[in-house]
Amino acid sequence: MRYLKSVFIALFFAAVLALLIFGPRDGGGAKAPAGFTEVTYWEKWTGNEGAQMQIIVNDFNNSVGRQKKIYVKCLTISEIEQRTLAATAAGVPPDVAGVTDEQIAQFAAFDALEPLDDLAAARGIRRALYKPVCWDGCVFDGHLWALPSTPAPVALHYNKRILAENADALRKAGFDPNHIPTNLADFDRFARVLNVRQADGTIVRAGYLAMEPGWFTDFTPYWFGASYFDDATGKFTLTSPGVIRAFEWIADDSRRYTPDAIAKFQSGMSGVNSTQNAFLVGAVAMEQQGCWMGNTIEDLAPAMNRWKRFQAEEPAMISAGMTDRDQRWQHFQDEIAAEMSPLDPEQKRVALARKIDKESKLDIESRRENYEWGAAAFPSAVPGLMNVTYTGFDALTIPRGAKHKAEAFEFIAYVNRQDVTEKLNMMHCKISPLLKTSENFRTHHPNPYIGVFEELAASPNSHGVPRCPIWPEVVAEMKDTTQQIVLLNKTPADALAEAQQRLQARLDQFNARQAKRRGGAKIGGAS
């Protein structure tokens, strides 16, 4: 109990300080009408994603909320996980908190969430309606603690232009340039054909790099038929053969290119939300990313979504001094500007957006053909192991002690309606958490490869975050461990053995404290 109090006290004062400095942002602005119950909803999203969630909130307030006299007020909260825990410990939680799958087990172990079993059952909300990975990730210690909002499985994204330009070399190496190998060993050889390096070893273009962007390295063992945490036993398994093989594969890049060469290459790139994103500029031909990447490309490199159109443009019509892709996109903009020359800049922007939208109404196969990029299941290292993916997701929870629990669940249930979740996830460019999807969702989703992601997420080889109550500590530990491995400072076997010892000791200590606080009750995971 003393341990839990100390954690909450530290989080509480940190959250209060942050709130005093930054404060929450009101996404709606309006106040609840007289006689309505106001449901406070904290969400982490900003920018487009925050605005899109506010559309869903407005829809609720204007329909179900109006009928049942419930008004949801959405506030944008940074560092939402710490602030939600702190507010809950202080007895002033929001009614709804939007968290990630990584936090569900931790919050549940801290008794910081209200169980949703009875509320869900009363609405007929049950596991059979959901993709198993989405539902199961909301369950810990035998109870349902959340419902998913926006899931995003991971797939291989590949640049079709680069593959086409290297078709002869790929065929000479024994590959079909139009098909990505499904076996990881073959994929590695396929990727190396696409490498471009200078005589001194400098990487100009990489076919594939495990650490670019490197967001999903914690889940690499899934593609090797392994995981480094066993939900059933609650034990770490970092020293299992599959996990070691996974990190040996990650380290292979460092052995092949040297850590310095990789660091130099990555230093010339910017983050994913930048026009200098390595995939967007063609510095990597293939990478692992989530389904939302379709929105990122549309925002930052829209010409990649109109590849076939630009192939027909006359070179003489393209101005000099820009990259080929940017030249084509600029010509497309100039074309619209010429057609709409009397309009002011804002009207031109709207006209451009409308023309782009008109092109996006092509059937899904035409849209795929028009795209410079494609998506496919990432190759497996285990023969016969197909459609492997990591499916992460955002989720809606009711923090412990929320004042308006029934009304809060009314909103959560609304977000999980098929029509509503499809609207939200089409805007966020993500999959539906539900097994059933509509024809409109499948054919008019902004990502024409959404079927690939839907199939991956529904696969029995789709995995989520292990239901480990100290997962945030695991992420920090594995970041350091992976760094030691990719810098070749330690062998994967040695680094993982050390991490195993540290993490298991921390988990055992955490479980012992929680069991004592609960009067000897065991902390569980998957059941």
Side-chain angles (χ1 to χ4, degrees):
M1 190 66 172
R2 186 180 302 166
Y3 166 75
L4 188 62
K5 284 183 178 179
S6 67
V7 171
F8 277 167
I9 289 170
L11 288 171
F12 173 68
F13 283 110
V16 169
L17 179 60
L19 284 167
L20 288 172
I21 296 172
F22 301 107
R25 286 196 295 240
D26 186 346
K31 294 183 178 180
F36 278 57
T37 298
E38 183 172 285
V39 170
T40 303
Y41 167 31
W42 285 7
E43 189 50 83
K44 61 204 163 296
W45 290 317
T46 58
N48 288 340
E49 290 185 331
Q52 290 158 354
M53 189 66 212
Q54 184 61 49
I55 291 172
I56 300 300
V57 170
N58 293 344
D59 288 348
F60 174 85
N61 288 337
N62 292 327
S63 58
V64 174
R66 181 173 295 174
Q67 295 166 7
K68 300 191 175 184
K69 293 193 173 183
I70 301 169
Y71 183 85
V72 175
K73 188 177 185 67
C74 184
L75 301 173
T76 300
I77 304 290
S78 62
E79 299 178 349
I80 193 169
E81 60 279 2
Q82 291 95 337
R83 295 184 185 188
T84 300
L85 281 176
T88 301
V92 287
D95 297 301
V96 179
V99 301
T100 70
D101 53 345
E102 295 183 338
Q103 291 140 16
I104 294 171
Q106 179 194 33
F107 280 33
F110 278 156
D111 293 331
L113 299 177
E114 295 282 353
L116 304 183
D117 309 78
D118 293 342
L119 289 166
R123 293 301 192 90
I125 296 174
R126 59 194 188 279
R127 186 178 188 270
L129 301 175
Y130 289 79
K131 295 180 177 69
V133 69
C134 295
W135 179 274
D136 293 347
C138 295
V139 174
F140 177 78
D141 205 17
H143 294 285
L144 179 71
W145 303 100
L147 284 179
S149 55
T150 58
V154 171
L156 178 73
H157 288 64
Y158 58 92
N159 188 306
K160 292 188 284 189
R161 174 182 55 82
I162 293 176
L163 268 58
E165 291 170 354
N166 290 272
D168 290 344
L170 287 167
R171 290 191 185 97
K172 185 177 180 181
F175 296 109
D176 180 347
N178 298 311
H179 291 90
I180 305 294
T182 59
N183 174 274
L184 189 59
D186 290 338
F187 171 78
D188 286 341
R189 293 192 299 110
F190 183 96
R192 290 198 289 274
V193 175
L194 306 175
N195 288 346
V196 177
R197 301 175 69 189
Q198 295 178 352
D200 64 356
T202 297
I203 303 170
V204 177
R205 182 182 69 211
Y208 181 85
L209 285 175
M211 294 302 293
E212 180 56 52
W215 289 357
F216 309 108
T217 53
D218 285 349
F219 308 106
T220 302
Y222 291 152
W223 282 271
F224 287 75
S227 171
Y228 51 72
F229 187 78
D230 186 333
D231 283 342
T233 64
K235 298 291 185 181
F236 286 99
T237 55
L238 278 80
T239 55
S240 66
V243 175
I244 293 174
R245 285 198 302 272
F247 282 88
E248 286 284 359
W249 176 75
I250 291 171
D252 281 345
D253 281 346
S254 296
R255 299 186 189 104
R256 185 173 295 116
Y257 307 114
T258 77
D260 287 345
I262 294 173
K264 182 179 179 181
F265 171 78
Q266 291 184 308
S267 69
M269 302 295 122
S270 297
V272 69
N273 292 316
S274 164
T275 54
Q276 292 305 301
N277 173 314
F279 184 73
L280 301 190
V281 300
V284 291
M286 301 178 288
E287 71 174 15
Q288 276 191 340
Q289 278 296 6
C291 47
W292 46 261
M293 190 65 176
N295 267 2
T296 299
I297 293 172
E298 183 65 26
D299 290 342
L300 300 177
M304 291 184 74
N305 290 349
R306 291 152 187 88
W307 181 41
K308 290 297 183 181
R309 172 186 168 88
F310 291 135
Q311 283 186 323
E313 302 289 358
E314 292 293 332
M317 298 173 66
I318 299 173
S319 59
M322 302 168 69
T323 66
D324 182 54
R325 184 186 295 117
D326 289 342
Q327 287 171 348
R328 295 175 192 155
W329 180 239
Q330 184 62 54
H331 171 66
F332 188 44
Q333 292 177 306
D334 291 344
E335 179 186 280
I336 302 300
E339 291 177 5
M340 307 292 180
S341 55
L343 303 181
D344 64 27
E346 178 60 20
Q347 290 174 308
K348 289 178 181 178
R349 186 193 66 76
V350 172
L352 175 63
R354 286 175 177 167
K355 183 152 186 173
I356 292 169
D357 185 63
K358 184 177 179 181
E359 285 203 352
S360 73
K361 300 305 181 184
L362 296 171
D363 66 81
I364 197 162
E365 290 303 323
S366 297
R367 289 168 59 208
R368 286 188 177 189
E369 184 69 16
N370 207 30
Y371 276 36
E372 188 175 332
W373 59 276
F378 192 81
S380 167
V382 180
L385 187 67
M386 305 297 290
N387 286 335
V388 180
T389 191
Y390 157 66
T391 300
F393 60 87
D394 297 283
L396 297 177
T397 65
I398 300 178
R400 177 76 67 178
K403 294 180 180 178
H404 309 297
K405 182 178 173 181
E407 293 84 356
F409 194 78
E410 194 76 49
F411 173 67
I412 293 174
Y414 173 83
V415 174
N416 276 257
R417 271 175 30 183
Q418 183 181 346
D419 58 333
V420 178
T421 195
E422 288 188 0
K423 180 175 181 177
L424 173 60
N425 282 294
M426 286 180 77
M427 290 190 291
H428 276 211
C429 201
K430 296 176 183 175
I431 66 162
S432 169
L434 304 176
L435 275 177
K436 181 181 178 182
T437 58
S438 69
E439 180 69 16
N440 179 67
F441 186 82
R442 293 189 296 271
T443 59
H444 293 104
H445 194 283
N447 187 332
Y449 290 92
I450 196 63
V452 172
F453 293 96
E454 282 280 333
E455 182 180 3
L456 285 170
S459 162
N461 296 318
S462 174
H463 305 280
V465 170
R467 279 162 280 184
C468 174
I470 63 164
W471 188 253
E473 291 186 56
V474 177
V475 172
E477 175 70 42
M478 291 308 299
K479 182 179 179 180
D480 292 340
T481 298
T482 303
Q483 187 77 348
Q484 292 294 317
I485 290 170
V486 298
L487 291 177
L488 304 180
N489 291 337
K490 295 179 181 178
T491 67
D494 289 344
L496 291 166
E498 293 173 12
Q500 164 89 20
Q501 187 175 17
R502 287 191 293 266
L503 286 173
Q504 192 61 56
R506 290 178 204 167
L507 180 59
D508 290 345
Q509 185 180 48
F510 174 88
N511 286 340
R513 286 168 172 166
Q514 292 297 84
K516 183 177 180 180
R517 184 175 65 85
R518 294 182 174 184
K522 182 181 179 182
I523 306 298
S527 60

